Short mmCIF file of all heavy atoms in Angstrom, two decimals:
data_model
loop_
_atom_site.label_atom_id
_atom_site.label_comp_id
_atom_site.label_asym_id
_atom_site.label_seq_id
_atom_site.Cartn_x
_atom_site.Cartn_y
_atom_site.Cartn_z
N PRO H 278 40.51 -2.89 22.13
CA PRO H 278 39.84 -2.63 20.76
C PRO H 278 38.56 -3.38 20.57
O PRO H 278 37.55 -2.87 19.94
CB PRO H 278 40.87 -2.97 19.77
CG PRO H 278 42.21 -3.15 20.47
CD PRO H 278 41.84 -3.42 21.90
N ALA H 283 32.76 -3.41 19.97
CA ALA H 283 31.40 -3.87 20.42
C ALA H 283 30.53 -2.74 20.75
O ALA H 283 29.29 -2.70 20.44
CB ALA H 283 31.62 -4.79 21.58
N LEU H 290 23.51 -0.24 16.12
CA LEU H 290 22.42 -1.09 16.12
C LEU H 290 21.22 -0.27 16.68
O LEU H 290 20.03 -0.43 16.20
CB LEU H 290 22.65 -2.33 16.79
CG LEU H 290 21.48 -3.36 16.87
CD1 LEU H 290 21.23 -3.88 15.36
CD2 LEU H 290 21.85 -4.58 17.74
N ILE H 291 21.48 0.37 17.79
CA ILE H 291 20.29 1.19 18.50
C ILE H 291 19.83 2.24 17.47
O ILE H 291 18.64 2.55 17.38
CB ILE H 291 20.87 1.77 19.77
CG1 ILE H 291 21.06 0.58 20.78
CG2 ILE H 291 19.86 2.82 20.26
CD1 ILE H 291 21.67 1.03 22.12
N ALA H 294 17.73 0.70 14.73
CA ALA H 294 16.51 0.30 15.23
C ALA H 294 15.56 1.44 15.49
O ALA H 294 14.35 1.28 15.26
CB ALA H 294 16.64 -0.50 16.52
N GLY H 300 10.20 5.07 11.17
CA GLY H 300 9.70 4.72 9.82
C GLY H 300 8.35 3.94 9.84
O GLY H 300 7.33 4.28 9.15
N ASP H 313 -8.96 6.65 6.76
CA ASP H 313 -9.81 7.64 7.12
C ASP H 313 -10.41 8.42 6.00
O ASP H 313 -11.63 8.71 5.91
CB ASP H 313 -9.19 8.67 8.25
CG ASP H 313 -8.98 8.13 9.47
OD1 ASP H 313 -9.60 7.11 9.88
OD2 ASP H 313 -8.16 8.78 10.23
N GLY H 327 -16.36 10.57 -5.87
CA GLY H 327 -16.31 9.04 -6.04
C GLY H 327 -16.04 8.65 -7.46
O GLY H 327 -16.50 7.67 -7.97
N ALA H 333 -14.29 2.12 -11.75
CA ALA H 333 -14.39 0.65 -11.45
C ALA H 333 -15.48 0.07 -12.12
O ALA H 333 -15.39 -1.02 -12.77
CB ALA H 333 -14.49 0.43 -9.93
N GLU H 336 -14.55 -0.23 -15.82
CA GLU H 336 -13.53 -1.31 -16.06
C GLU H 336 -14.31 -2.72 -15.85
O GLU H 336 -13.96 -3.69 -16.64
CB GLU H 336 -12.51 -1.16 -15.03
CG GLU H 336 -11.33 -2.15 -15.20
CD GLU H 336 -10.21 -1.98 -14.23
OE1 GLU H 336 -9.98 -0.92 -13.61
OE2 GLU H 336 -9.49 -2.89 -14.07
N GLU H 348 -15.86 -16.04 -24.63
CA GLU H 348 -16.64 -17.23 -24.69
C GLU H 348 -17.22 -17.48 -26.18
O GLU H 348 -17.38 -18.56 -26.42
CB GLU H 348 -17.79 -16.94 -23.67
CG GLU H 348 -17.47 -16.98 -22.25
CD GLU H 348 -18.63 -16.69 -21.33
OE1 GLU H 348 -19.64 -15.97 -21.89
OE2 GLU H 348 -18.56 -16.93 -20.17
#
Side-chain angles (χ1 to χ4, degrees):
L290 183 64
I291 290 171
D313 289 342
E336 187 175 340
E348 288 175 344

